[in-house]
């Protein structure tokens, strides 16, 4: 369900790198290399642009998952065949899918507050995880019902409606969140350039935020002959800006594809409700599944 992206020039608008002053509470985070030179200036520019902006205010009022919106059964998966079936999204439906009992559902944050959003139907939720259809191994869904689950969002932990799909051979269901995310606001800053460079490259996606809130993993990218990616971290009071770069080059014949590499960084303090931003695009990083 998670795919790597290939290296290609991206049709993005030009932005001169801005050398702006530091934001309140700025600090270099542990576990990631500190941005330098124009890369640091870009990270600061992104943080400054979001600080107190209309986009930031809109972001804090929405529902934006930081966890994967698909949660696997306990102990998944028992066999290599089941692992292959899930990886290829190969499911068989052996039950009738129920109609949604309502048109809307509520996000309920653990610290208080809620938001009502359109409820995803069982068919749409099932189709989002069962896009396969080959003759290989498959997982059989024997029941489906609407329930709840918890996940981390940009506003902290929340309880949300979820479709619970019982899978043959597993004691607990596969859960698919039954709400789509809020529409993200237009970022208050343009991308850094028309195309990436080794000094600044967009991150592919957010992979995971650890439960302590201080460690998070992103999918960075590297070429076949690179030494690997580096991810710099710039923390402010209301944002965390990640700057991805590609380090070193090896000699010899190289292919042109980009490879995804998980990189974990550690923050000085928990992410909390601070906005997690990509320095190149100027956009927030959220759940890979998109809700």
């Amino acid at each position: 369900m998670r795919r790597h992206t290939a290296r290609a020039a991206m049709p993005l608008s030009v932005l001169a790198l801005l050398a702006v002053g530091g934001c309140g509470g700025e600090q270099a985070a542990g576990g990631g290399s500190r941005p330098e030179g124009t890369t640091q200036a870009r990270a600061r520019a992104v943080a400054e642009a979001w600080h107190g902006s209309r986009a930031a205010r809109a972001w804090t009022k929405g529902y934006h998952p930081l966890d994967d919106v698909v949660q696997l059964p306990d102990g998944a998966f028992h066999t290599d065949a089941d692992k292959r079936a899930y990886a290829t999204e190969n499911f068989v439906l052996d039950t009738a899918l129920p109609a949604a009992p309502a048109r809307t559902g509520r996000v309920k944050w653990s610290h208080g507050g809620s938001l009502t959003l359109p409820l995803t139907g069982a068919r749409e939720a099932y189709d989002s995880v069962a896009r396969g259809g080959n003759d290989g191994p498959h997982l059989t869904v024997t029941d489906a019902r609407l329930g709840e689950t918890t996940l981390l969002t940009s506003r902290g932990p929340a309880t949300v409606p979820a479709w619970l799909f019982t899978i043959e051979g597993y004691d607990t269901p596969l859960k698919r969140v039954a709400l789509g995310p809020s529409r993200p606001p237009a970022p208050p800053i343009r991308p850094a350039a028309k195309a990436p460079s080794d000094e600044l490259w967009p991150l592919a996606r957010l992979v995971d935020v650890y439960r302590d809130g201080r460690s998070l993993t992103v999918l960075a990218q590297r070429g076949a002959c690179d030494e690997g990616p580096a991810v710099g971290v710039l923390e402010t009071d209301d944002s965390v800006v990640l700057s991805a770069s590609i380090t070193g080059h090896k000699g010899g014949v190289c292919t042109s594809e980009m490879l995804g590499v998980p990189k974990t960084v550690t923050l000085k303090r928990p992410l909390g409700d601070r906005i997690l931003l990509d320095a190149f695009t100027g956009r927030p990083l959220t759940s890979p599944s998109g809700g």
Side-chain angles (χ1 to χ4, degrees):
M1 302 251 320
R2 295 176 176 176
R3 300 175 175 84
H4 299 161
T5 51
R7 187 171 196 166
M10 307 180 81
L12 304 173
S13 303
V14 178
L15 175 69
L17 298 179
L18 303 177
V20 300
C23 304
E26 178 191 330
Q27 54 190 311
S33 57
R34 185 183 179 92
E36 297 179 355
T38 55
T39 304
Q40 184 181 27
R42 170 62 184 181
R44 293 182 184 224
V46 170
E48 180 67 19
W50 276 89
H51 178 67
S53 67
R54 179 182 299 178
R57 292 192 295 272
W59 182 264
T60 60
K61 296 177 181 178
Y63 159 63
H64 305 285
L66 299 183
D67 279 338
D68 198 324
V69 296
V70 178
Q71 299 173 351
L72 302 183
D74 293 342
F77 286 100
H78 297 334
T79 66
D80 288 340
D82 284 357
K83 292 176 184 178
R84 290 197 300 275
Y86 181 74
T88 56
E89 303 178 339
N90 215 23
F91 286 73
V92 170
L93 185 61
D94 192 22
T95 187
L97 294 174
R103 292 186 177 182
T104 60
R106 281 205 310 159
V107 184
K108 295 174 285 187
W109 279 277
S110 61
H111 57 69
S114 64
L115 183 64
T116 299
L117 294 168
L119 191 69
T120 302
R123 168 56 65 179
E124 182 180 350
Y126 175 78
D127 288 346
S128 72
V129 299
R131 289 178 284 233
N134 60 62
D135 294 330
H138 63 266
L139 297 168
T140 301
V141 173
T142 60
D143 189 44
R145 63 184 178 86
L146 188 64
E148 289 185 330
T149 192
T150 59
L151 79 167
L152 185 64
T153 76
S154 61
R155 294 166 60 178
T159 300
V160 297
W163 287 104
L164 313 183
F165 296 107
T166 301
I167 295 180
E168 189 174 69
Y170 292 87
D171 295 332
T172 59
L174 179 147
K175 302 176 183 179
R176 177 43 164 101
V177 171
L179 299 175
S182 301
R183 176 176 295 182
I189 188 169
R190 293 179 180 177
K194 287 183 177 180
S197 66
D198 286 355
E199 289 72 31
L200 188 60
W201 193 274
L203 288 162
R205 57 177 169 81
L206 175 67
V207 175
D208 192 21
V209 178
Y210 292 72
R211 291 303 162 186
D212 63 5
R214 292 186 62 244
S215 297
L216 53 92
T217 300
V218 292
L219 191 68
Q221 299 183 85
R222 59 167 297 178
C225 290
D226 300 326
E227 292 182 0
V231 179
V233 185
L234 185 72
E235 294 191 54
T236 75
D237 287 342
D238 51 17
S239 67
V240 173
V241 185
L242 303 182
S243 304
S245 60
I246 296 174
T247 61
H249 293 281
K250 302 175 183 177
V253 178
C254 299
T255 55
S256 61
E257 76 272 17
M258 293 296 288
L259 308 172
V261 179
K263 293 289 289 186
T264 298
V265 298
T266 302
L267 309 180
K268 290 292 187 181
R269 59 187 177 90
L271 178 64
D273 59 2
R274 292 183 292 171
I275 307 172
L276 182 63
L277 300 165
D278 175 41
F280 184 90
T281 64
R283 295 179 177 276
L285 290 164
T286 57
S287 162
S289 298

